[in-house]
Amino acid sequence: MADKESLQFHMNLGMLINSAHRAMTKRFVQNAHESGLDISLDQWMVLGPIWQRGDASQKELGDMCLKDKTSVTRIIDTLEKKNLVVRVPDQLDHRVNRVILTNAGKQLFYDVLPVMEKTREEVKKNIPDEDIEIFKNVLSSIIINLENEKG
Amino acid sequence: MADKESLQFHMNLGMLINSAHRAMTKRFVQNAHESGLDISLDQWMVLGPIWQRGDASQKELGDMCLKDKTSVTRIIDTLEKKNLVVRVPDQLDHRVNRVILTNAGKQLFYDVLPVMEKTREEVKKNIPDEDIEIFKNVLSSIIINLENEKG
DNA sequence: CTATAATAGTTGTAGGTTCAACTAATGGCA
DNA sequence: TGCCATTAGTTGAACCTACAACTATTATAG
């Protein structure tokens, strides 16, 4: 129903990003669900860095995912409710929570890896690698352009 | 703080789109706010097609913005609460609402146009036009790749 | 050492998204 | 004509996001 020309004609950059972002998020969750896994893309985004580092403070997670501290709080709330992570108070700095994966969290992480890979392939289907490179480059530039100097 | 290489190294496609999308949305709202205007990017996305066509059903708005009918319902709720649009029952098909702009809605639309333009320029700063073209092309392809064949 | 600023995290409010279940109206087919 | 499927829109629940105001802890400047 939607061909490439009409999409580009009717939609500006913001709307295109908005739609592509929602489509990817939705497809990831659908693919996870088909594999019997219950996880959102944002939960996955947070899980990754914790796995990579063994643990991470909420501040560090926010920095790595470019997420607001409020969002991190609530995502960790959800992950904790699902018994995928635990908040452990930092012994040195009592303001800080170290967030670590439970065994269930580690298991889920491994289970989701192929789902992520499948989604990635569906997203990139029929798009030349060099265009993907430029695409990622432009995204990075946009993020940097808008990073909060604000003035 | 975030340079292009480290962004691309640490973040995958989904996270980059996610972050860029949020950054754009945020900047648009900030710019509108600085001009004394109170509007979200999603509200703007819906206002545009109504203005273009004079009126539109919620179904048509969803199609044009690639938004779920639930989202459209709630955005129209908000716009109606702010007296920017009105739902008018369609005389021929009683299932349908025709959504039209109030005078305040038209005024806001015109006021926001330069804000949109400013945001667009901030987003595209230092990015070559030909890269932007490829970028939009890739976004369209992704949307089409993920359009709900699902099977 | 103490007052003050900065930092980590939480909470409330409001808006946007998805899914699923629902109402109301229309369309089509026997 | 009457049953049934489809379509337009709404509602509730759960999650994510941003902003602002708040608590608690740590760092710093005088």
Side-chain angles (χ1 to χ4, degrees):
Chain A
M1 75 167 269
D3 65 282
K4 203 180 281 186
E5 284 70 27
S6 72
L7 269 183
Q8 297 212 13
F9 184 77
H10 289 299
M11 305 186 68
N12 59 41
L13 230 179
M15 291 166 74
L16 282 172
I17 290 195
N18 186 312
S19 300
H21 169 237
R22 288 207 330 281
M24 283 181 55
T25 302
K26 191 168 167 178
R27 178 59 64 92
F28 171 78
V29 172
Q30 282 175 348
N31 285 343
H33 190 256
E34 280 174 15
S35 300
L37 303 169
D38 171 32
I39 187 170
S40 75
L41 185 54
D42 295 294
Q43 289 163 26
W44 172 255
M45 279 174 65
V46 168
L47 236 39
I50 307 176
W51 179 84
Q52 270 189 328
R53 305 162 58 114
D55 70 341
S57 73
Q58 298 185 199
K59 164 84 169 119
E60 289 163 349
L61 292 174
D63 288 344
M64 284 186 283
C65 304
L66 300 190
K67 280 183 184 302
D68 191 85
K69 60 183 176 174
T70 309
S71 300
V72 175
T73 293
R74 301 222 158 108
I75 292 171
I76 301 294
D77 283 348
T78 304
L79 290 173
E80 216 172 20
K81 219 181 305 173
K82 293 162 90 176
N83 294 314
L84 299 171
V85 305
V86 182
R87 284 176 169 100
V88 180
D90 189 296
Q91 288 307 308
L92 295 179
D93 187 338
H94 291 192
R95 294 169 300 183
V96 173
N97 293 329
R98 314 294 321 167
V99 182
I100 62 178
L101 293 177
T102 62
N103 287 334
K106 288 176 193 160
Q107 186 57 54
L108 181 64
F109 181 84
Y110 290 119
D111 291 342
V112 172
L113 277 174
V115 171
M116 190 70 247
E117 196 45 50
K118 182 186 177 201
T119 308
R120 216 189 298 277
E121 279 165 19
E122 289 172 344
V123 166
K124 292 183 177 174
K125 197 172 55 183
N126 302 325
I127 305 177
D129 283 348
E130 57 267 34
D131 285 7
I132 294 284
E133 278 318 299
I134 294 172
F135 180 69
K136 291 170 73 171
N137 222 305
V138 171
L139 284 172
S140 305
S141 299
I142 290 175
I143 294 171
I144 290 164
N145 278 346
L146 299 183
E147 210 161 54
N148 261 347
E149 355 71 17
K150 229 335 30 178
Chain B
M1 76 165 269
D3 65 282
K4 204 180 283 189
E5 285 70 27
S6 72
L7 268 183
Q8 297 212 12
F9 184 76
H10 288 299
M11 305 186 67
N12 59 40
L13 231 177
M15 292 167 74
L16 282 172
I17 290 195
N18 187 313
S19 300
H21 169 237
R22 287 207 331 282
M24 284 181 54
T25 301
K26 193 168 166 179
R27 178 59 65 93
F28 171 77
V29 172
Q30 283 175 349
N31 285 343
H33 190 257
E34 281 174 13
S35 300
L37 303 170
D38 171 32
I39 186 169
S40 75
L41 186 53
D42 294 295
Q43 290 163 24
W44 173 254
M45 280 173 65
V46 168
L47 236 39
I50 306 176
W51 178 84
Q52 271 190 328
R53 305 162 58 116
D55 70 341
S57 74
Q58 297 185 201
K59 165 84 168 117
E60 287 163 351
L61 291 174
D63 289 344
M64 284 185 283
C65 304
L66 300 190
K67 280 183 183 301
D68 193 86
K69 57 183 178 174
T70 308
S71 301
V72 175
T73 292
R74 302 226 156 104
I75 293 171
I76 301 294
D77 283 348
T78 304
L79 290 173
E80 217 172 19
K81 219 180 302 170
K82 293 162 89 175
N83 294 314
L84 299 172
V85 304
V86 182
R87 285 176 169 101
V88 180
D90 189 297
Q91 287 308 309
L92 294 178
D93 188 337
H94 290 190
R95 294 169 301 183
V96 174
N97 293 328
R98 315 292 322 167
V99 182
I100 61 177
L101 293 177
T102 62
N103 287 333
K106 288 176 192 160
Q107 185 58 55
L108 181 65
F109 182 83
Y110 290 119
D111 291 343
V112 171
L113 278 173
V115 171
M116 191 68 247
E117 196 44 50
K118 183 188 175 199
T119 307
R120 215 189 299 278
E121 279 165 18
E122 289 172 344
V123 167
K124 292 183 176 174
K125 197 172 56 185
N126 301 325
I127 306 176
D129 284 348
E130 57 267 34
D131 285 7
I132 294 283
E133 278 318 299
I134 293 172
F135 181 70
K136 291 171 74 171
N137 222 305
V138 171
L139 283 173
S140 304
S141 299
I142 290 176
I143 294 172
I144 290 165
N145 279 346
L146 299 182
E147 210 161 53
N148 259 347
E149 354 73 14
K150 232 331 35 177

